[in-house]
Amino acid sequence: MGSRSVITLEGRGLSRRRFIGRTGSIIGAAALGAFDLPNAAALEPGAQVTALVIGTGYGGSVTALRLAQAGVDVHMVEMGMAWDSPGTDGKVFANTISPDYRSFWLRTRTKQPLSNFLGYPLDKDVPRYTGILDAEDMGGIVVYQGRGVGGGSLVNGGMAVTPQRSRFPAVLPSVDVDEMYDVYYPRANSTLGATTIDPVWFESAECYQYARVGRKHAGRSGFRFMFVPSVYDWDYMKQEATGAVPRSALAGEILYGNNHGKKTLPKTYLAQARATGRVGISPLHRVTSVTPATGGYSVTVEQLDTSGAVRATKSVRAQRVFFAAGSVGTSKLLVRLKATGALPGLNSEVGNGWGENGNVMCGRANHLWDPTGALQSSIPTAGIDNWTAGGAFAEVAPLPTGIETWASFYLSITDNPHRGRFTWNASTGKVELDWQTAWKQPSITMAKSIFERINATEGTIYRTDLFGAYKIWGDHLTYHPLGGAVLNKATDNYGRLHGHSGLYVMDGALIPGNVSVNPFVTITALAERNIEKIIAEDF
Ligand code: FAE
């Protein structure tokens, strides 16, 4: 436990002794040592690893499971926490409505995507801690990412969307469409546990009134409204609604983790990977360097405590290294390792082709006769598709405030053509993202193709109180970073990095900036495709 967090927690009225007493399990499991799975050796300095996977999100979890099933020993290194022990309130994860020390990655003040409500700023001070949601300020854009064993699956909305088949060639031009839709998307969806809401229950569920209002307004303006699959356990949610089980989606849990019904990676891919007995995971360990060495690569790993301080630096050997640190994490590592000479063979495509999946948010103010409900499930279940005509797919999103707001809220994914680039700044020793705030304008125009028409039909207006004072568009952020080590450019057509054999990219960094829908199913399916080829040919 870092002294800084103790001081800030004490500042909030919790003594060091009481804090340690209540959170001993977190500290024991995560802050002091490597957490390892049954039958797997701990990551000790000097360890020899057959396959080292950097990151435990979608790409990393697919990689670990399939390698282990093929008989390969795997070690996964994850900079975030294990999230397997209760915090000070007896729950593992904090609620969205009341963020606390668990909510943000090494921040002393929250940076909530919806920063304001009814004119009041929502952000507040929190103790600095290795919390679950990183709001990484990359210059022109804030990139939200999950931190912990399970990566983005811990914090995301669980919307498991497969892009329309006709759009896939524009997403990943070098990938066989039939193979993806006949084999890898079905494999990904079934292993993730993606299912669609019971349409009969949807019609009567109090917690989806906001989505039914969304459907009515979309339909009256002539837009295609569609249910989208989710990885939430619908049976559990039905029981939440009757009060038979503790509430999670119906208690507004999402951004800082779900305590119950969401099938996150630790419950799906990673649970299966654990069961093989061949996969070890070291949480609160961050990879900082990978460089060629006899028999493979020398990997430098920093062990963190929950204040973010480095407690130990370990050097290990790995025959093969799989970069699955997420689009930003993988891109930043590769750009730095190339620029500093650790991996000099990487090609000049490394760092290119980054996009934000055209994310832009907005709210609409409905009439008093169109309430959206005080009880809203935090799990979105539907979208409005205007991609072909207007370049936008809008997720009908919840505003789970616990009170009636008469607001409809949307996260749009748009066909924004702009792409950023990661570059090395030798004077600061940091990787920077070249992204300009003005590049969001095409996304706003595309989102307007839906909402201007709905507002005109309904006689409604935009909310101007959600992202600041009199600000309509949430255009400062993304939940969906993609690209930076693009398939068939920085890597071959299966994720093998050019220039160094035995190095692979397995995550969202492979996808050149946009998938036309929410991305994690595509990241998972692509990783399934690539690892199958890699196992067949390289092991
Ligand atoms: P990711 O899941 O980000 O995993 C990367 C992991 O690597 C993380 O756990 C990092 O902590 C770890 N890491 C990074 N650097 C290092 C390092 N140097 N050493 C060790 N570990 C490291 O990557 N997508 C959907 O499809 N549907 C949704 O409903 C949805 N909602 C979202 C809501 C929110 C609030 C957010 C933030 C994202 C949402 N997403 C959604 C996006 C989705 O979670 C994201 O595309 C995937 O998680 C990306 O998967 P990757 O495997 O690329």
Side-chain angles (χ1 to χ4, degrees):
M1 184 72 204
S3 55
R4 234 174 134 173
S5 341
V6 171
I7 290 163
T8 39
L9 282 160
E10 279 173 348
R12 289 164 61 85
L14 198 59
S15 76
R16 180 188 168 89
R17 199 153 47 100
R18 275 174 63 213
F19 179 72
I20 289 176
R22 288 191 195 175
T23 62
S25 50
I26 291 182
I27 294 162
L32 296 181
F35 157 86
D36 268 273
L37 303 169
N39 311 323
L43 189 69
E44 296 297 341
Q48 310 267 346
V49 180
T50 310
L52 187 135
V53 178
I54 309 172
T56 58
Y58 293 91
S61 298
V62 172
T63 304
L65 172 61
R66 301 306 176 203
L67 284 173
Q69 287 175 331
V72 179
D73 287 328
V74 180
H75 200 94
M76 306 181 80
V77 181
E78 169 55 55
M79 68 193 270
M81 303 198 350
W83 298 110
D84 58 356
S85 309
T88 49
D89 58 358
K91 293 182 176 174
V92 175
F93 302 112
N95 196 287
T96 312
I97 294 157
S98 45
D100 62 21
Y101 69 98
R102 290 165 291 195
S103 301
F104 281 86
W105 177 257
L106 302 179
R107 276 189 171 273
T108 52
R109 192 165 174 77
T110 65
K111 196 169 178 72
Q112 303 186 59
L114 254 79
S115 54
N116 294 62
F117 194 67
L118 299 173
Y120 293 99
L122 297 176
D123 283 317
K124 63 174 197 180
D125 292 342
V126 285
R128 186 181 149 94
Y129 192 73
T130 46
I132 199 161
L133 185 64
D134 195 352
E136 194 170 358
D137 203 332
M138 300 296 298
I141 189 163
V142 178
V143 184
Y144 285 90
Q145 297 152 91
R147 295 275 174 251
V149 173
S153 80
L154 299 169
V155 299
N156 68 32
M159 287 179 83
V161 198
T162 301
Q164 280 205 11
R165 196 176 178 125
S166 58
R167 293 179 197 151
F168 187 82
V171 175
L172 285 162
S174 63
V175 174
D176 185 286
V177 181
D178 292 339
E179 248 182 34
M180 285 298 281
Y181 284 77
D182 295 347
V183 180
Y184 302 110
Y185 274 118
R187 186 177 296 172
N189 277 315
S190 94
T191 317
L192 290 166
T195 53
T196 307
I197 191 169
D198 169 356
V200 176
W201 186 66
F202 174 81
E203 295 305 335
S204 61
E206 183 191 350
C207 60
Y208 280 116
Q209 180 164 340
Y210 74 93
R212 294 193 296 275
V213 169
R215 177 179 61 184
K216 180 173 73 179
H217 291 174
R220 291 205 289 223
S221 285
F223 292 115
R224 190 167 95 94
F225 177 90
M226 52 187 278
F227 286 120
V228 293
S230 166
V231 294
Y232 205 84
D233 180 338
W234 295 112
D235 288 335
Y236 189 87
M237 199 190 293
K238 283 180 179 173
Q239 293 180 62
E240 291 181 47
T242 64
V245 295
R247 286 186 162 182
S248 183
L250 270 53
E253 293 176 354
I254 178 166
L255 279 179
Y256 313 129
N258 277 83
N259 282 300
H260 300 288
K262 195 166 75 175
K263 290 173 274 179
T264 58
L265 290 168
K267 296 181 186 171
T268 58
Y269 273 95
L270 288 171
Q272 284 193 43
R274 282 171 188 237
T276 65
R278 290 191 174 276
V279 178
I281 305 181
S282 294
L284 285 176
H285 280 62
R286 177 172 59 199
V287 170
T288 56
S289 182
V290 177
T291 195
T294 313
Y297 292 88
S298 170
V299 182
T300 309
V301 184
E302 291 176 344
Q303 182 174 0
L304 309 177
D305 67 18
T306 53
S307 77
V310 176
R311 284 299 147 114
T313 302
K314 304 172 180 179
S315 179
V316 301
R317 284 287 169 94
Q319 281 174 24
R320 293 167 199 280
V321 178
F322 294 83
F323 289 81
S327 159
V328 175
T330 291
S331 304
K332 285 197 333 192
L333 267 174
L334 292 177
V335 166
R336 185 162 53 76
L337 296 176
K338 176 176 163 57
T340 55
L343 292 177
L346 298 180
N347 74 13
S348 57
E349 288 289 344
V350 163
N352 291 352
W354 187 84
E356 29 66 275
N357 214 23
N359 280 189
V360 63
M361 293 177 177
C362 70
R364 293 179 38 254
N366 293 313
H367 296 294
L368 287 181
W369 58 83
D370 255 346
T372 46
L375 176 69
Q376 301 199 359
S377 169
S378 62
I379 299 297
T381 189
I384 302 169
D385 185 5
N386 193 39
W387 192 266
T388 307
F393 170 82
E395 155 187 326
V396 178
L399 257 187
T401 55
I403 55 166
E404 176 57 58
T405 63
W406 288 275
S408 287
F409 184 56
Y410 308 89
L411 166 61
S412 297
I413 293 158
T414 64
D415 199 7
N416 190 343
H418 290 294
R419 293 293 176 269
R421 197 162 67 96
F422 292 93
T423 54
W424 174 246
N425 183 333
S427 60
T428 59
K430 288 198 170 133
V431 176
E432 293 170 354
L433 176 64
D434 167 22
W435 178 268
Q436 295 171 30
T437 312
W439 287 357
K440 281 286 195 182
Q441 194 50 50
S443 292
I444 294 174
T445 305
M446 289 170 193
K448 279 182 175 175
S449 77
I450 296 177
F451 303 114
E452 300 278 284
R453 201 195 306 172
I454 292 182
N455 276 341
T457 308
E458 301 300 325
T460 50
I461 55 170
Y462 292 110
R463 293 285 292 232
T464 56
D465 62 324
L466 302 177
F467 304 104
Y470 302 106
K471 183 163 165 41
I472 293 174
W473 298 101
D475 58 353
H476 57 295
L477 54 75
T478 185
Y479 284 177
H480 300 163
L482 294 164
V486 169
L487 188 79
N488 218 24
K489 291 190 171 171
T491 73
D492 77 353
N493 201 24
Y494 291 90
R496 301 174 179 103
L497 272 160
H498 289 303
H500 294 277
S501 69
L503 295 186
Y504 308 85
V505 175
M506 299 303 295
D507 57 16
L510 290 172
I511 298 175
N514 201 299
V515 285
S516 78
V517 291
N518 313 60
F520 75 61
V521 173
T522 299
I523 294 169
T524 306
L526 185 65
E528 289 278 19
R529 166 195 180 267
N530 294 351
I531 197 66
E532 190 174 88
K533 180 69 119 191
I534 290 163
I535 288 169
E537 294 185 353
D538 298 10
F539 280 85

